[in-house]
Amino acid sequence: MGKVKNNNKAVDLIYTGYDTILIEQIAFADLLAMFKSDKRTTDDLYEKLVEMSTVKGKLIGIPLNPLPLAVFYNKEWFDKAGIPYPGKDWTWDQFLNLSIKLQAANPIEGKEVYGSIVPLDMFTFESIAQSTGQSIVSADGNRVSGYMNSKPVVAAFAKLLNYMNTSKASKGVSAVGIPVYNELRSFSAGMGISVANMFSPLEANAATAGKFGIAALPFLEKGAKANSVYYSLLSIPESSKQKELAWKFMKDVLLNPDSQFQKDWGKSAMLTVKSAVAKSGQNKVPGMDVLVEELNYAVKPIIYRNAALSAVRLTDKSILAAKTEAEVMAALTSLAEEVDKQLLDKK
């Protein structure tokens, strides 16, 4: 595979995260045209990931290594509380109410414990917002005022904060990943929301192996399922001199459910060729069915619309300390105005 270099030599394949700046700078070949010319379809890929990878009518790459959000839960805590394990469908109200029960049933002397860990980042926030039917950023990615602080989003976020601040059963952390993993690894919480690739470290850790399950991301009671999914892309630049050979590689390796690539890749990351999940044996991983199902509700993370939005933080004290919906509205409106100013300055 070719690598991106700082020279004028053409490359044939580019593997990268969904990089809006790179997409603006480089013209990518339309893979949909290649699928059609071979009388193939994209049906063996997850529809939502294909939609997210289609820019101005062109499929700019094959989506790989998706990272849906999910709930990782301690089975022993649920057993001790006498609560059935969560499954594929549950609401934020149910998640937060169970957090209270888990905390109450699993006290540890001399240690502060929580029923759940909730990352208060844009990853989770966008999922909640999309569950209301409203993104926190405009379609062009250049404005958050009127979106981040829209009434449905404010109401949903205010309810979450009220639960957390009132019950003290859910702990807010700055991001998915390590902050959540550390709490679960130390058995300081019964549940934690994080990304799919966190499960491998939990299983590899002798103290936590086999003790955690995977449940779906909650959705709002009157809303729809939504999951802000990060992923990578393998693309063919329009400047490639060997497009046919690059496309053949994609067909023979990436899109072939029987290829050795699928078996090897499936040991470390989620597969996005649906038929390869079973053929590679990845479907036997406990909880993989939940993660695969979540890809059907994938929505585009906000930084895929504007990379500058990666700097936005929700952990400002004025937001976390907000006790009423009006206070949340004021705090998010102030943050939205600040973010819009920063976006305008970057233009």
Side-chain angles (χ1 to χ4, degrees):
M1 283 189 287
K3 296 181 180 179
V4 181
K5 297 181 180 179
N6 294 321
N7 56 35
N8 294 322
K9 292 182 179 179
V11 296
D12 302 309
L13 289 167
I14 297 177
Y15 176 68
T16 181
Y18 190 108
D19 188 324
T20 52
I21 296 176
L22 189 67
I23 292 169
E24 290 174 0
Q25 293 177 341
I26 298 178
F28 291 106
D30 181 13
L31 299 186
L32 281 178
M34 296 183 181
F35 272 95
K36 291 177 181 177
S37 68
D38 278 358
K39 297 183 179 180
R40 298 170 64 108
T41 71
T42 59
D43 291 349
D44 206 15
L45 300 173
Y46 291 97
E47 181 181 359
K48 293 295 183 181
L49 297 184
V50 171
E51 288 178 7
M52 289 159 60
S53 306
T54 302
V55 178
K56 297 179 180 179
K58 295 170 60 177
L59 179 60
I60 61 171
I62 300 296
L64 296 170
N65 192 28
L67 297 174
L69 287 168
V71 176
F72 299 83
Y73 63 89
N74 188 316
K75 298 175 184 177
E76 293 179 350
W77 280 45
F78 273 80
D79 293 341
K80 190 173 180 180
I83 301 172
Y85 300 150
K88 295 182 179 180
D89 292 295
W90 58 336
T91 65
W92 275 102
D93 283 356
Q94 291 172 321
F95 172 86
L96 294 165
N97 284 327
L98 282 183
S99 299
I100 297 171
K101 294 178 181 179
L102 287 173
Q103 184 188 48
N106 292 275
I108 300 176
E109 187 175 351
K111 185 176 184 178
E112 196 168 26
V113 299
Y114 298 90
S116 63
I117 305 298
V118 179
L120 297 173
D121 62 356
M122 305 312 283
F123 206 17
T124 309
F125 191 36
E126 176 69 348
S127 299
I128 294 172
Q130 290 272 2
S131 189
T132 73
Q134 172 75 66
S135 175
I136 57 178
V137 64
S138 60
D140 62 10
N142 293 322
R143 181 179 175 83
V144 298
S145 292
Y147 298 88
M148 176 185 288
N149 58 332
S150 66
K151 287 185 178 180
V153 173
V154 168
F157 195 52
K159 188 173 184 178
L160 172 63
L161 288 178
N162 183 56
Y163 257 104
M164 295 175 68
N165 291 330
T166 301
S167 71
K168 307 296 183 183
S170 297
K171 179 180 180 180
V173 295
S174 60
V176 298
I178 292 177
V180 180
Y181 171 69
N182 286 339
E183 296 286 348
L184 295 180
R185 182 186 60 177
S186 62
F187 299 104
S188 298
M191 300 186 289
I193 294 174
S194 194
V195 286
N197 64 344
M198 192 185 75
F199 191 62
S200 294
L202 281 173
E203 284 296 281
N205 187 311
T208 57
K211 294 184 179 180
F212 284 85
I214 303 176
L217 185 70
F219 59 95
L220 296 172
E221 191 167 6
K222 294 182 180 179
K225 283 190 170 188
N227 198 314
S228 186
V229 178
Y230 281 35
Y231 64 99
S232 302
L233 283 172
L234 185 67
S235 306
I236 302 174
E238 193 64 65
S239 59
S240 168
K241 305 299 183 183
Q242 303 182 89
K243 289 190 185 70
E244 290 185 7
L245 185 60
W247 173 237
K248 184 178 187 305
F249 171 84
M250 286 184 168
K251 290 188 293 183
D252 293 348
V253 178
L254 293 182
L255 301 175
N256 177 7
D258 297 308
S259 72
Q260 186 61 42
F261 166 84
Q262 302 290 356
K263 298 180 177 65
D264 294 338
W265 190 265
K267 294 175 183 177
S268 59
M270 286 189 69
L271 298 172
T272 47
V273 174
K274 291 186 283 189
S275 60
V277 175
K279 290 190 175 185
S280 68
Q282 191 177 70
N283 62 323
K284 296 178 182 177
V285 176
M288 185 56 64
D289 59 327
V290 175
L291 297 177
V292 166
E293 178 70 16
E294 286 299 292
L295 296 181
N296 294 320
Y297 309 103
V299 295
K300 186 177 287 189
I302 62 168
I303 67 168
Y304 286 3
R305 297 182 212 172
N306 190 325
L309 292 168
S310 62
V312 179
R313 297 288 180 268
L314 290 171
T315 47
D316 182 272
K317 290 182 179 179
S318 64
I319 297 176
L320 299 184
K323 296 180 180 179
T324 66
E325 192 170 314
E327 290 176 349
V328 173
M329 172 66 81
L332 289 179
T333 296
S334 177
L335 176 62
E337 291 173 351
E338 179 184 334
V339 171
D340 280 346
K341 183 179 183 303
Q342 292 172 358
L343 292 179
L344 189 60
D345 291 343
K346 288 181 179 293
K347 283 188 176 181

